[in-house]
Amino acid sequence: MSRPIAVIGPTGTGKSQLALALAEHLGGEIVNADAMQQYRGMDIGTAKVGIADRRGIPHHQLDVLDVAETATVARYQQAAVADVESIATRGAVPIIVGGSMLYIQSLLDEWEFPATDAAVRARWEARLDDIGSAALHVELAGRDPAAAAAILTTDGRRIVRALEVIELTGRPFAASAPRIGEPRWDTVIFGLDWDTATLDVRLRERTDAMFTAGLVGEVRTLLDRGLRDGVTAARALGYAQVIEALDGGAAAADVDRARESTFTGTRRYVRRQRSWFRRDTRIRWLDGSTTGLLDAAVAQWRHVS
C-alpha cells in the first residue's frame, strides 16, 4: 500500500497546485478535502481546478453532491476512506488536499460520530430560525468557547450540530472528536502557508479574480438548481455574499459589497484555519514562497517512508 500524502493549510496558499505537482511526479491520484468543492457547479467561488487543468490526474470527492444536498462530515469520511484505500492498494499514491478542518481530521483520525436526536436537533433548528446564526453562535460560545472559535458565525448547521452534541453528551463538542495521534495509514501531512501580508494580497487577488470570472453569474445559475434550498452550499463564502447582493438588486454597489465581504470573510476563515492546524504537531510546514517546493516535499516524503 502506497503511503498517502496530505497537503493542507489555509485558503489561498496554493495547495491544489502543489498536490497536482506531487501527483504527477509520484504517480498519484487526488482526494479532495474541501467541503464546498464537493458540489457540482460550485467552481469559480471554490477555486476548483478545472477538468482541463487536472493534467489527466484522477480526482475524487469533487462534484459528488447537488447544491440542494447537505454535505456531512460522516458521509465524506466514509467515501473518502474508501477512495484512499482503493488508490493505495492499486499502487498509486493518494494525495489528500484541502483546507476543511473537520473533513481532514475525520479522514486522518479514527473518528466515531456522536448519535443524533431528531427532537433535540429540531429544537435547536427552531431556535436558529428564531434568532439567526450569529445570535445562536453567541449561545454556543457561552456553552463551549472552543467549539464557537472553530465554527463560523454564519454556519448555522454546524452551530446546531455542536449544540445538539453538547446537550446529548453533556460534554464539550470537541470531546467527541478524536485525539490527535498517529495519522491513519501513516499519512505524511504537509501544511502550506505564506506570511500574513503576502497571503492577504493573494486572497484579495483571488477574490477579485472570482468576481471577474463570473461568480455572480455562477450563483444565478445555481439558484435555478436549488442553491437557496441547500443547508450547506448556500452558506459558502462568496456564495452567501452574492445571494445577498442579488436579493438587494445586484446593483454595482451591491456586488462591490459582496466582493469586499467575501474578502474579509475569507481572511477571518484563514485565521481560524491557522489556529486549528497549528495545534497539530504532525504537520510538516512548508513556506509557499520557497523555490523548489515540490522537491522539498518529495524529499521529506521519501525520508519518512
Side-chain angles (χ1 to χ4, degrees), residues 83-99:
D83 286 334
V84 170
E85 293 182 347
S86 176
I87 294 165
T89 53
R90 61 176 177 263
V93 178
I95 310 291
I96 301 157
V97 57

Side-chain angles (χ1 to χ4, degrees), residues 4-9 15 18 22 96 98 187-192 282-286 294 296-302 304:
I5 298 172
V7 180
I8 69 173
K15 298 183 297 294
L18 177 57
L22 283 165
I96 301 157
T187 300
V188 180
I189 310 173
F190 292 118
L192 190 61
R282 303 170 300 183
I283 299 174
R284 298 163 179 263
W285 286 99
L286 302 171
L294 172 62
V298 170
Q300 289 197 49
W301 177 74
R302 285 177 174 157
V304 296

Side-chain angles (χ1 to χ4, degrees), residues 71 73 102 120-129 131-168 171-174 231-232 235 272:
V73 181
L102 292 178
V120 174
R121 174 74 64 88
R123 180 156 34 81
W124 284 115
E125 287 177 341
R127 182 71 173 156
L128 173 66
D129 290 339
I131 66 174
S133 63
L136 193 60
H137 189 272
V138 172
E139 293 189 12
L140 174 61
R143 292 168 175 256
D144 187 345
I151 299 175
L152 292 173
T153 59
T154 56
D155 195 341
R157 185 184 66 85
R158 284 190 59 211
I159 295 169
V160 165
R161 176 57 174 157
L163 288 164
E164 178 193 19
V165 170
I166 292 165
E167 180 171 339
L168 291 174
R171 299 184 299 165
F173 183 53
V231 176
T232 47
R235 294 183 172 90
R272 287 187 172 89

Side-chain angles (χ1 to χ4, degrees), residues 107-123:
L107 185 55
L108 297 183
D109 296 295
E110 303 277 345
W111 193 343
E112 295 182 7
F113 294 93
T116 65
D117 184 294
V120 174
R121 174 74 64 88
R123 180 156 34 81

Side-chain angles (χ1 to χ4, degrees), residues 13 23 56 66 76 95 115 129 200 205 220 239 281 305:
T13 52
D66 291 326
Y76 171 80
I95 310 291
D129 290 339
D200 281 351
E205 292 174 347
R220 282 197 175 102
Y239 294 86
T281 58
S305 295

Side-chain angles (χ1 to χ4, degrees), residues 22-302:
L22 283 165
E24 190 172 50
H25 185 81
L26 299 173
E29 299 182 20
I30 288 176
V31 179
N32 166 54
D34 181 300
M36 296 305 163
Q37 290 194 9
Q38 295 176 103
Y39 285 108
R40 285 182 282 272
M42 289 178 64
D43 302 329
I44 297 172
T46 66
K48 189 183 297 176
V49 177
I51 294 175
D53 297 319
R54 295 178 192 171
R55 309 181 194 180
I57 296 165
H59 283 59
H60 306 269
Q61 297 309 308
L62 284 181
D63 301 326
V64 295
L65 297 174
D66 291 326
V67 291
E69 293 182 89
T70 299
T72 68
V73 181
R75 185 220 70 83
Y76 171 80
Q77 181 197 53
Q78 182 178 21
V81 165
D83 286 334
V84 170
E85 293 182 347
S86 176
I87 294 165
T89 53
R90 61 176 177 263
V93 178
I95 310 291
I96 301 157
V97 57
S100 293
M101 297 163 281
L102 292 178
Y103 279 64
I104 293 164
Q105 189 167 28
S106 78
L107 185 55
L108 297 183
D109 296 295
E110 303 277 345
W111 193 343
E112 295 182 7
F113 294 93
T116 65
D117 184 294
V120 174
R121 174 74 64 88
R123 180 156 34 81
W124 284 115
E125 287 177 341
R127 182 71 173 156
L128 173 66
D129 290 339
D130 286 343
I131 66 174
S133 63
L136 193 60
H137 189 272
V138 172
E139 293 189 12
L140 174 61
R143 292 168 175 256
D144 187 345
I151 299 175
L152 292 173
T153 59
T154 56
D155 195 341
R157 185 184 66 85
R158 284 190 59 211
I159 295 169
V160 165
R161 176 57 174 157
L163 288 164
E164 178 193 19
V165 170
I166 292 165
E167 180 171 339
L168 291 174
T169 65
R171 299 184 299 165
F173 183 53
S176 64
R179 296 182 183 275
I180 293 175
E182 290 299 318
R184 198 194 306 249
W185 309 294
D186 197 27
T187 300
V188 180
I189 310 173
F190 292 118
L192 190 61
D193 206 349
W194 297 67
D195 71 84
T196 298
T198 304
L199 184 56
D200 281 351
V201 172
R202 290 172 61 89
L203 293 176
R204 171 67 75 182
E205 292 174 347
R206 169 190 166 109
T207 302
D208 290 345
M210 287 176 176
F211 278 81
T212 299
L215 178 58
V216 174
E218 180 173 276
V219 173
R220 282 197 175 102
T221 298
L222 293 174
L223 286 170
D224 291 337
R225 299 182 191 173
L227 175 62
R228 196 184 296 275
D229 301 324
V231 176
T232 47
R235 294 183 172 90
L237 277 167
Y239 294 86
Q241 287 77 11
V242 170
I243 290 172
E244 185 177 353
L246 291 174
D247 289 346
D254 297 321
V255 174
D256 285 344
R257 279 193 295 272
R259 184 195 305 254
E260 186 62 24
S261 181
T262 298
F263 168 64
T264 56
T266 305
R267 288 181 68 203
R268 286 194 297 270
Y269 184 54
V270 163
R271 288 199 295 272
R272 287 187 172 89
Q273 289 174 303
R274 281 177 167 159
S275 177
W276 179 286
F277 290 133
R278 292 293 178 183
R279 295 195 298 264
D280 191 336
T281 58
R282 303 170 300 183
I283 299 174
R284 298 163 179 263
W285 286 99
L286 302 171
D287 184 340
S289 65
T290 303
T291 57
L293 198 56
L294 172 62
D295 291 340
V298 170
Q300 289 197 49
W301 177 74
R302 285 177 174 157

